[in-house]
């Protein structure tokens, strides 16, 4: 079996954040090496990198402190020559959603040490928080590695427990967006968050919806004029059980 280190950066802002960390850490099996990088807001990329340098396993998981493993075998995420993410069940639409629907999710990803050796660690020029994961995935793809979602592994993600509590977080978002554009000379394409069976007019946003379109579908970043949300997706969102696309 592959060996796996779990890196969890943690800014102990309040008891809600600390309780989320306790749930996060306790959800992982004992076989995992667990590295909690406690900090006082000195930057997400910087503190992830501290953990990555300390990790001793063949694979490393980078996990937000408000995630918890709910179901499945975490070692199924250990795939050679690929960066993987589980199926993420989010509690808040629009907060902490994937930057690569159906593939990489910045709140929880696993990479082989050999891939990190080729691609490099997170770029610490993206200060405080945001856009370091967009940059990382751009480098992963440039290096020729795949990103995969392993839907048999299920993770719950609260979203927004740390950075959105900081008044300056929108300034960080804008500043790091400019840094991404300066570095790459472009911005990422708009993310398609919705799917419809071609021509149906009913748009889905939960991958775990029973009628999620898997063939002959259209995608869009927002619901087009005249379209409607899927009722089952709305229900999953209301129950905080939606795997937001």
């Amino acid at each position: 079996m592959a060996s796996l280190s779990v890196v969890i950066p943690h800014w102990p802002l309040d008891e809600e954040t600390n309780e989320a960390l306790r749930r996060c850490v306790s959800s992982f099996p004992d076989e995992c090496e667990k590295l909690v990088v406690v900090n006082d807001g000195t930057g997400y990329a910087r503190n992830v990198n501290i953990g990555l340098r300390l990790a001793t396993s063949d694979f490393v998981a980078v996990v937000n402190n408000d995630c918890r493993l709910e179901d499945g075998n975490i070692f199924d995420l250990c795939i050679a020559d690929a960066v993987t993410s589980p199926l993420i069940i989010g509690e808040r639409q629009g907060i902490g959603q994937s930057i690569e629907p159906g593939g990489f999710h910045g709140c929880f990803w696993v990479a082989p040490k050999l891939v990190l050796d080729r691609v490099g660690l997170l770029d610490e020029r993206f200060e405080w928080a945001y856009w370091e994961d967009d940059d990382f995935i751009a480098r992963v793809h440039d290096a020729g590695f795949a990103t995969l979602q392993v839907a048999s592994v299920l993770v719950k993600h609260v979203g927004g427990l740390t950075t959105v509590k900081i008044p300056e977080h929108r300034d960080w978002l804008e500043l790091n967006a400019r840094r991404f554009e300066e570095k790459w000379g472009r911005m990422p394409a708009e993310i398609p968050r919705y799917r419809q069976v071609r021509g149906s007019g009913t748009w889905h946003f939960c991958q775990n919806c029973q009628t999620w379109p898997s063939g002959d579908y259209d995608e869009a970043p927002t619901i087009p004029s005249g379209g409607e949300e899927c009722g089952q997706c709305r229900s999953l969102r209301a129950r905080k059980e939606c795997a937001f696309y």
Side-chain angles (χ1 to χ4, degrees):
M1 184 173 66
S3 59
L4 177 65
S5 300
V6 180
V7 173
I8 309 167
H10 178 62
W11 185 358
L13 281 176
D14 51 31
E15 183 54 31
E16 182 185 33
T17 311
N18 290 335
E19 178 57 31
L21 174 69
R22 288 190 283 268
R23 291 195 300 268
C24 176
V25 172
S26 66
S27 72
F28 294 104
D30 293 339
E31 294 86 351
C32 295
E33 177 184 52
K34 298 161 193 160
L35 300 164
V36 178
V37 185
V38 179
N39 64 91
D40 57 355
T42 49
Y44 185 82
R46 177 180 181 271
N47 289 291
V48 167
N49 287 347
I50 289 171
L52 293 177
R53 292 186 182 103
L54 290 172
T56 62
S57 303
D58 298 327
F59 290 80
V60 183
V62 174
V63 179
N64 284 13
N65 60 2
D66 58 351
C67 289
R68 63 186 184 275
L69 181 66
E70 285 283 302
D71 196 19
N73 185 348
I74 190 173
F75 292 97
D76 288 346
L77 294 166
C78 299
I79 298 176
D81 298 329
V83 177
T84 63
S85 289
L87 184 68
I88 302 291
I89 304 296
E91 292 193 5
R92 307 178 190 183
Q93 190 172 20
I95 296 180
Q97 288 184 231
S98 173
I99 60 171
E100 191 183 77
F104 175 87
H105 202 301
C107 78
F108 194 122
W109 51 270
V110 175
K113 271 292 194 68
L114 291 175
V115 169
L116 293 174
D117 289 343
R118 285 272 305 277
V119 173
L121 306 184
L122 299 188
D123 188 338
E124 296 180 21
R125 288 175 292 181
F126 296 94
E127 295 182 273
W128 299 295
Y130 306 120
W131 288 92
E132 71 289 315
D133 48 357
D134 300 80
D135 172 76
F136 176 69
I137 280 305
R139 289 187 283 124
V140 165
H141 289 311
D142 270 7
F145 295 110
T147 52
L148 304 171
Q149 182 187 77
V150 181
S152 63
V153 182
L154 187 68
V155 164
K156 288 283 188 78
H157 178 220
V158 177
L161 274 196
T162 303
T163 53
V164 299
K165 294 177 179 176
I166 307 302
E168 299 83 7
H169 80 274
R170 293 191 181 278
D171 296 334
W172 303 345
L173 187 64
E174 293 175 7
L175 175 64
N176 284 338
R178 291 197 298 271
R179 285 178 173 152
F180 182 93
E181 187 170 23
E182 289 167 1
K183 179 175 180 177
W184 291 93
R186 59 172 176 81
M187 294 295 283
E190 198 169 13
I191 298 172
R193 298 273 182 210
Y194 294 86
R195 277 189 188 183
Q196 69 159 355
V197 174
R198 187 155 291 146
S200 71
T202 299
W203 290 85
H204 303 256
F205 52 87
C206 292
Q207 285 182 262
N208 55 335
C209 174
Q210 290 179 347
T211 56
W212 173 254
S214 58
D216 194 26
Y217 58 80
D218 299 310
E219 292 188 318
T222 58
I223 296 178
S225 177
E228 63 177 9
E229 285 186 345
C230 163
Q232 186 180 141
C233 288
R234 285 200 306 269
S235 176
L236 288 166
R237 177 178 60 199
R239 302 198 308 267
K240 299 183 178 181
E241 295 177 0
C242 178
F244 293 108
Y245 189 54

